Amino acid sequence: MAQWTSAVGAAQLARLLNSQQDRPAGPGTRRPPAYRALADGVRLLVLEGRVPVAARLPAERELALALSVSRTTVAAAYEALRGEGFLESRRGAGSWTAVPAGNPVPARGLEPLPPEALGSMIDLGCAALPAPEPWLTRAVQGALEELPPYAHTHGDYPAGLPALRATIADRYTARGIPTMPEQIMVTTGAMGAIDAICHLFGGRGERIAVESPSYANILQLMREAGARLVPVAMAEGLAGWDMDRWRQVLREAAPRIAYVVADFHNPTGALADEEQRRRLVEAARSAGTVLVADETMSELWLDPDVEMPRPVCAFDPAGSTVITVGSASKAFWAGLRIGWVRAAPEMIRSLVAARAYADLGTPVLEQLAVNWLFGTDGWERAVELRRAQARENRDALVGAVRRELPDWQFEVPRGGLTLWVRTGGLSGSRIAEAGERVGVRAPSGPRFGVDGAFEGYVRLPFTVGGAVAEEAAVRLAAAARMVENGGTSSGVEAPRIFVA
């Protein structure tokens, strides 16, 4: 019986490996042998989760042809990986990826570190901030006061609590988009909303157009749902969408769904302007594509003079083309797993019916807590605290990275929670691996792309500030030196225990 559970084709593996090329070696820098470079490349892909554990690798001859190297080089690389515990083989069954005993299985997404690891590791993997107290505590206390009547019911509300659905609908109406409660479904976070939408509209083999780059966890969710991702490159810097490319993709690929983040895009921080929003909705309507607009960052403008465009759904108020996804997790706290969907009533009914076979509904107490926040001034005051904290962290991180890594390039976003950084010609994957060794965790660019794109980037969220931001930049600089030195730790200090 084979031990592998999936397979990676030779052409696909070659694309992933070719995306890892470092900048040209400087004078006196010794390049590793070809087999060693190949083994290191495969190991990086496994450690990052971009090639899953227990994935069957191509036969030696197939991979040699795809990479234009000798079969001896591939055989030697496979042998090195077997010796390090990253590959297992059996005659007649082939070779498949593994992790050495005692190593954690690599995550496919961007899961936060466990709390016990935070003493020695600065975590820049998860774009989430601590709860804005005292508002979390007050919201839970308010929810407990409202709980008794609901405790006498079955507690299952597949579309969400009627009171919260009405409150969310009223908030859209106040923003200039008339909305009925029947147009709202409450979900378990934005991920729960996207999952329900993908299962309803994006079945196995369906095309989904996505921004390139895009949010890593959503890309992985779509891959695991069996979707065929069609990347659409973002415009340079913070310019937002490239509308010529969007029109071409929607016209030629005819994707069933398109997923976009118009408000402080994750990871670039770009803010799509009103004309881009109008044109994208028109193009999606013409192509028969359902446009999923993720507005989880829409309230996180950080500079006071930012003028927010109208929401994407303002150009499709009936909700027949645009499905809007919102969440309390980014603007308030990631631990409060409440999201929502706004769409046409018939679309909401279909989503609710499909959801019944997944999670039945969202926790009542958390819904009551969000409803309390929306019904008082708690939400606005908490989000203002969140903006102030993210603004302070952004400015501290930007200053620290500019001092410690002057070759790294980025534009400073005016909102959101993330900085998209070009790493001066170094491999983002190798920086991420070296960062783990020196005590800083930063996801590499390819996590946010399709098929190995964005190797020369890392994403840095505004989750740390002050002295911690300074130390994070110092450790990133140490990781960059390790990559420049060919992976050695010469001249790099061991990480210090650091408690924020």
Side-chain angles (χ1 to χ4, degrees):
M1 179 179 177
Q3 300 299 307
W4 48 272
T5 56
S6 62
V8 180
Q12 179 188 7
L13 184 56
R15 284 196 304 272
L16 293 171
L17 289 166
N18 288 333
S19 73
Q20 296 178 335
Q21 299 299 317
D22 292 338
R23 70 169 108 183
T29 302
R30 301 181 62 184
R31 286 200 174 277
Y35 85 89
R36 184 67 263 173
L38 176 54
D40 288 346
V42 173
R43 177 172 53 83
L44 271 175
L45 294 173
V46 173
L47 287 172
E48 283 210 316
R50 291 162 59 202
V51 169
V53 176
R56 186 179 187 273
L57 295 187
E60 295 170 2
R61 188 185 302 277
E62 294 175 0
L63 186 57
L65 286 172
L67 293 173
S68 298
V69 300
S70 71
R71 184 177 177 182
T72 301
T73 296
V74 177
Y78 278 14
E79 184 59 35
L81 289 166
R82 278 190 287 270
E84 296 163 4
F86 286 94
L87 196 68
E88 296 181 9
S89 304
R90 195 175 69 203
R91 186 178 297 277
S95 299
W96 56 92
T97 56
V99 292
N103 281 36
V105 175
R108 301 302 301 279
L110 301 177
E111 291 78 7
L113 285 174
E116 61 269 18
L118 295 177
S120 59
M121 181 73 71
I122 298 175
D123 185 10
L124 298 181
C126 184
L129 291 163
E133 288 288 26
W135 300 106
L136 174 62
T137 297
R138 292 183 182 178
V140 173
Q141 290 170 341
L144 287 171
E145 293 176 2
E146 298 292 330
L147 182 62
Y150 294 95
H152 294 293
T153 73
H154 50 63
D156 288 334
Y157 297 89
L161 292 183
L164 181 56
R165 295 176 73 194
T167 299
I168 294 172
D170 289 344
R171 288 173 63 84
Y172 279 105
T173 300
R175 294 168 69 188
I177 305 104
T179 303
M180 303 178 295
E182 291 79 10
Q183 290 179 263
I184 302 296
M185 179 178 80
V186 181
T187 62
T188 307
M191 291 289 287
I194 301 294
D195 183 62
I197 293 167
C198 285
H199 279 87
L200 182 61
F201 294 102
R204 186 161 296 277
E206 290 280 3
R207 293 185 182 92
I208 300 180
V210 294
E211 297 152 326
S212 182
S214 186
Y215 179 35
N217 285 341
I218 293 294
L219 294 180
Q220 191 57 37
L221 182 155
M222 292 174 174
R223 290 187 189 102
E224 293 181 358
R228 298 163 60 190
L229 301 184
V230 182
V232 186
M234 296 285 289
E236 285 296 315
L238 299 177
W241 299 323
D242 184 325
M243 288 309 306
D244 289 338
R245 290 175 177 170
W246 269 107
R247 280 196 300 271
Q248 180 182 4
V249 167
L250 293 177
R251 183 176 61 249
E252 296 178 359
R256 186 71 181 91
I257 300 175
Y259 168 77
V260 297
V261 185
D263 303 296
F264 308 118
H265 174 259
N266 186 353
T268 68
L271 177 65
D273 64 36
E274 193 155 303
E275 184 59 23
Q276 288 174 325
R277 296 168 191 235
R278 183 195 308 276
R279 292 167 63 191
L280 185 58
V281 172
E282 291 173 352
R285 184 181 294 117
S286 296
T289 297
V290 175
L291 184 62
V292 180
D294 183 335
E295 60 174 27
T296 55
M297 298 280 192
S298 63
E299 296 192 61
L300 290 176
W301 63 86
L302 304 185
D303 297 329
D305 60 340
V306 173
E307 293 187 12
M308 292 298 296
R310 285 183 291 171
V312 176
C313 60
F315 304 99
D316 178 52
S320 58
T321 296
V322 177
I323 299 179
T324 302
V325 173
S327 172
S329 297
K330 293 296 184 185
F332 188 81
W333 184 49
L336 196 60
R337 304 302 305 160
I338 297 296
W340 53 86
V341 176
R342 181 198 180 276
E346 60 272 17
M347 202 174 287
I348 291 295
R349 288 193 292 271
S350 297
L351 286 168
V352 171
R355 180 191 191 183
Y357 301 100
D359 64 356
L360 293 179
T362 300
V364 169
L365 188 63
E366 293 187 24
Q367 293 186 70
L368 289 172
V370 171
N371 200 48
W372 183 91
L373 287 165
F374 285 158
T376 66
D377 64 350
W379 179 263
E380 284 71 23
R381 295 178 68 178
V383 172
E384 185 55 42
L385 286 175
R386 171 67 75 241
R387 292 191 194 110
Q389 185 180 13
R391 183 186 311 118
E392 182 178 330
N393 287 355
R394 178 197 64 181
D395 296 346
L397 186 64
V398 164
V401 172
R402 282 177 171 165
R403 281 191 298 273
E404 298 295 332
L405 292 149
D407 291 340
W408 288 18
Q409 299 174 325
F410 53 85
E411 292 192 41
V412 181
R414 308 196 68 194
L417 290 172
T418 57
L419 197 65
W420 185 236
V421 182
R422 192 189 300 267
T423 54
L426 297 176
S427 161
S429 296
R430 297 182 189 279
I431 288 172
E433 183 197 27
E436 296 272 358
R437 295 158 63 185
V438 298
V440 60
R441 182 174 182 255
S444 66
R447 294 224 174 173
F448 304 88
V450 178
D451 278 345
F454 307 110
E455 184 59 53
Y457 290 82
V458 294
R459 190 196 73 171
L460 305 179
F462 314 142
T463 52
V464 297
V468 185
E470 297 283 348
E471 180 66 16
V474 168
R475 296 185 186 188
L476 286 169
R481 289 195 298 274
M482 288 180 67
V483 174
E484 289 179 317
N485 293 335
T488 67
S489 57
S490 175
V492 178
E493 294 182 6
R496 294 166 283 174
I497 301 297
F498 197 89
V499 179

